[in-house]
Amino acid sequence: MTVGSMACVQIAAAASTGLFSSVGPAGSSWLRLSFAAVLFVAVARPRVWAIPRADLGWSVVLGVVTGAMTVLYVEAIARIPLAMATALEFLGPLAVAALRRSGRWGLAWPALALAGVLALTRPWQGDADLAGVALALGAASCWAAYILLTQRVGERLPGVQGLAISMPAAAAATAVVGVPQALPGLSAQVLWQSAALALLLPVLPYTLELLALRRLPSAVFGVLMCLEPAMAVLVGLVLLGQAPAVVQVAGIALVTVAGIGASRMDRSLR
């Protein structure tokens, strides 16, 4: 489930770049989240009045975080290569694992990740898009919160009830920045393409991740998610023709290894 989720995310992210010229990065995110919201509500038909207020509130918070993560990520890939944005965003799950570290080697993994980030962004060359890097790091913080919130909501609400609440919240939260970008470029072609992409991201990935986090400790989930930067390199190369420099490949490898190391030391594995 986790590997399938990662594949869907990266393919959809690459495919979404084709909509940027028409509806903008934030506009494409808002359209996908809106279609996903309609689909989840139609399938799950959540009985909002029967859900405890605390669970309802956490589901709404998850939606706001999901919306912010989605917009920040696509705005990042509009400025920097897909693999770089994904590796930087991956620092979010790494932080979740590192904060739960145990043993004296726990601090080594954030240091390794920092070395990877420096190799990715190559600040000594001065050619990194700082706005894109900042957006990707913002998405990373949202991803960390998303993992924790998804696990909480998934444990409390059955099926995809949580997603049927969080997705409309995500669409509403992103409308502020998404609608102004999307409205001038809306067309029938854009709408059907957005609906198709909504299945790849977020419908399939978020459903798969919700189900996976019900079966896996967050640390094991984090280890599996370490494959995402490598998958982003492959998708970026095949679909977008983005070939990273050797030092950037090394940076992605460092971030990936740091994620694996931090996740394996998570206390929940012990």
Side-chain angles (χ1 to χ4, degrees), residues 52-217:
R53 287 188 178 181
D55 297 337
L56 186 63
W58 284 116
S59 298
V60 171
V61 172
L62 172 60
V64 173
V65 169
T66 299
M69 176 178 69
T70 304
V71 169
L72 289 170
Y73 180 61
V74 295
E75 288 286 355
I77 65 175
R79 294 167 172 82
I80 58 178
L82 178 65
M84 181 188 295
T86 301
L88 292 172
E89 189 192 28
F90 179 70
L91 296 177
L94 190 154
V96 172
L99 289 173
R100 295 173 174 174
R101 68 184 184 276
S102 59
R104 60 182 178 178
W105 293 102
L107 291 175
W109 306 119
L112 192 63
L114 176 60
V117 169
L118 292 175
L120 274 167
T121 56
R122 297 180 293 179
W124 56 86
Q125 291 191 352
D127 59 352
D129 188 309
L130 295 182
V133 171
L135 288 164
L137 293 175
S141 63
C142 291
W143 196 4
Y146 165 82
I147 290 174
L148 300 175
L149 288 167
T150 297
Q151 192 165 37
R152 180 187 179 96
V153 171
E155 290 172 350
R156 299 285 297 177
L157 298 178
V160 293
Q161 291 288 310
L163 288 171
I165 298 167
S166 67
M167 280 298 108
T174 56
V176 178
V177 292
V179 171
Q181 285 190 18
L183 283 182
L186 280 182
S187 65
Q189 182 178 2
V190 166
L191 289 174
W192 76 256
Q193 287 177 342
S194 299
L197 285 172
L199 294 175
L200 277 178
L201 181 65
V203 173
L204 281 175
Y206 291 177
T207 301
L208 291 171
E209 288 175 10
L210 181 71
L211 296 174
L213 281 166
R214 286 178 179 158
R215 293 163 170 81
L216 296 173

Side-chain angles (χ1 to χ4, degrees), residues 1 27 38 146 190 227 232:
M1 291 177 182
V38 171
Y146 165 82
V190 166
L227 295 171

Side-chain angles (χ1 to χ4, degrees), residues 233-260:
V233 172
L234 179 62
V235 172
L237 180 63
V238 174
L239 297 185
L240 300 177
Q242 297 175 346
V246 174
V247 67
Q248 292 178 309
V249 173
I252 291 169
L254 288 174
V255 171
T256 301
V257 171
I260 294 172

